[in-house]
Amino acid sequence: MEKRISKIVKAGIVLAFGLGVTNVMAVDACKDEMGHSGSGHSVNGNQTGSIQGTSWGFEQWSAGGSNSMKYYDNGTFEASWNNNQDYLARVGFRYGDNGSGVDHTTKHYTVDYKYTKSGTAQYGYIGVYGWTVNPQVEYYIVDDWFSRPSEAYIGAKRGEITVDGDTYTIHAYLRQQEASKTGTSTFLQIFSVRQNARQCGHIDISAHFKKWDELFTGQQAQLSGSKGGGSATLKFGRPTEVMLMTEAGGGATGSVDYTYFNMSENGDASEVSSTPTTGNTDTGNSNTGNTGNTGNTGNTGNTDWGNMFGGGGNTDWSSMFGGDGNTDWGNMFGGDGNTDWGNMGGETGNQGNASIGGNDDGKTAIQGSMKLNNASRTFRVFDLKGHFLGEIELARGVSASEALMTRFHKAGVYMIKSGSFTQRVSVK
């Protein structure tokens, strides 16, 4: 109960500041507008590469038929294909096909996306995709499809995870002497398949990685496979790529258009439950961004925050916990005036020392003195019209305004985003 109250109190504080000062808000890809921004770059044939000004890359791969792909400077992309036996278009993190991969336990991968699709395919997976080494694994987190994945192609159910508003079933399958990143080889495939398809939302990618690590610990198992099946070692390896992807095959013809894309290596974790989600899911427009809205938990949607703890509707926030009306927000929980707001609830966001009180001129709500107390973090940068400008790496001890001035050499007001954290920063 104490933990729940702490979360509710924190939500109230975030709401209060969001309305009055800091403009902190959760990302909701289903509602937020992004669209294609910057230059469009056409991809010809089977090709990989980097998206300039970002930490992301792209890849297009096909077997037969005709196809086209175009990505934009902000990571959004579109693709079309005709009479393809197998086609893949994807954007995200690429660490080198022939490298040693990355330790996924040191990162927290998330993606927010929105897209539309058309066409038909014998099979098709839409969601997160990639490969690992040591061992070699091809993996999928499937949020949507052209035809629902069958166990004949993904293997029997091995477990499940409930996260991001729905339950995903987990499967393993053996590809035997098939095309892979290392040529023709036999390798394991791992799938998480969402019960109810959707075309927008948030995926906590690392939640699936963690669950796969728990389920697949190196044990031997008999699996169905592309050439009759056989014995395989069940283990998830070191990712060489983590990408948002569309795959379609079996004489497939169609198109996709991703108008919202934001993938992070330092995203915020979603709540993972062992209880399957129930209720009426809109498979076309499931609004994952509103799942678990703490501000409305257990109420009618119009909770008077002033009355929430027994106040009279005009509760003085600074006095809410017994203050004198002039309580220093930094000291509200017994701090020393330099409370690390990013760590207030025990979270890993670490937006420490954000200047919340405003500048001395009373005109600008946010100072640019936000600094990280721990490891560096990558932020995407937008102007106030929502146009993507690039990225900054906010290293420990460097303020957001310093990083922005170094990167863009121009004063002004910027919006920085990382995962579900968003803040406006003034640069002078």
Side-chain angles (χ1 to χ4, degrees), residues 112-301:
D112 297 276
Y113 75 94
K114 178 165 56 181
Y115 87 104
T116 56
K117 74 175 188 290
S118 65
T120 58
Q122 183 178 332
Y123 65 88
Y125 312 122
I126 301 171
V128 174
Y129 172 86
W131 289 82
T132 74
V133 293
N134 298 319
Q136 184 180 53
V137 177
E138 185 180 30
Y139 69 86
Y140 297 79
I141 302 171
V142 183
D143 262 27
D144 195 12
W145 44 80
F146 284 94
S147 57
R148 188 174 187 89
S150 165
E151 288 192 0
Y153 296 99
I154 64 175
K157 176 181 173 182
R158 296 266 165 184
E160 65 180 37
I161 180 174
T162 300
V163 65
D164 296 323
D166 207 350
T167 296
Y168 294 74
T169 56
I170 299 171
H171 306 258
Y173 188 77
L174 190 62
R175 298 287 291 176
Q176 298 170 285
Q177 291 302 296
E178 306 284 0
S180 75
K181 285 288 188 178
T182 57
T184 301
S185 63
T186 295
F187 54 93
L188 178 68
Q189 288 181 314
I190 296 175
F191 297 83
S192 284
V193 181
R194 188 180 174 91
Q195 281 190 345
N196 299 286
R198 60 176 179 169
Q199 289 78 49
C200 62
H202 175 84
I203 303 176
D204 184 340
I205 301 167
S206 286
H208 294 266
F209 289 176
K210 181 178 179 181
K211 186 65 177 181
W212 297 343
D213 284 338
E214 293 172 359
L215 284 175
F216 305 133
T217 58
Q219 68 270 39
Q220 290 294 119
Q222 283 295 127
L223 300 179
S224 56
S226 60
K227 291 180 172 61
S231 179
T233 301
L234 299 183
K235 186 158 182 72
F236 185 64
R238 295 170 61 90
T240 57
E241 60 179 273
V242 182
M243 308 184 84
L244 187 68
M245 178 274 311
T246 289
E247 178 175 7
T253 296
S255 65
V256 291
D257 187 4
Y258 287 87
T259 57
Y260 196 105
F261 173 82
N262 184 15
M263 183 175 280
S264 175
E265 293 177 312
N266 302 290
D268 296 323
S270 300
E271 182 177 351
V272 178
S273 171
S274 59
T275 303
T277 300
T278 60
N280 297 320
T281 302
D282 180 350
T283 60
N285 294 294
S286 296
N287 188 341
T288 305
N290 289 327
T291 301
N293 186 331
T294 306
N296 291 324
T297 302
N299 61 61
T300 61

Side-chain angles (χ1 to χ4, degrees), residues 21-83:
V21 184
T22 62
N23 197 27
V24 174
M25 54 189 174
V27 169
D28 185 347
C30 297
K31 292 183 177 180
D32 296 349
E33 294 297 328
M34 178 179 286
H36 302 307
S37 179
S39 300
H41 308 272
S42 296
V43 181
N44 299 312
N46 292 355
Q47 185 180 344
T48 65
S50 300
I51 300 178
Q52 188 174 2
T54 78
S55 54
W56 303 316
F58 67 87
E59 181 163 355
Q60 176 176 253
W61 185 92
S62 70
S66 59
N67 57 75
S68 66
M69 177 185 179
K70 181 183 287 187
Y71 69 87
Y72 296 83
D73 293 340
N74 65 345
T76 60
F77 65 101
E78 55 190 343
S80 62
W81 55 93
N82 183 54
N83 195 28

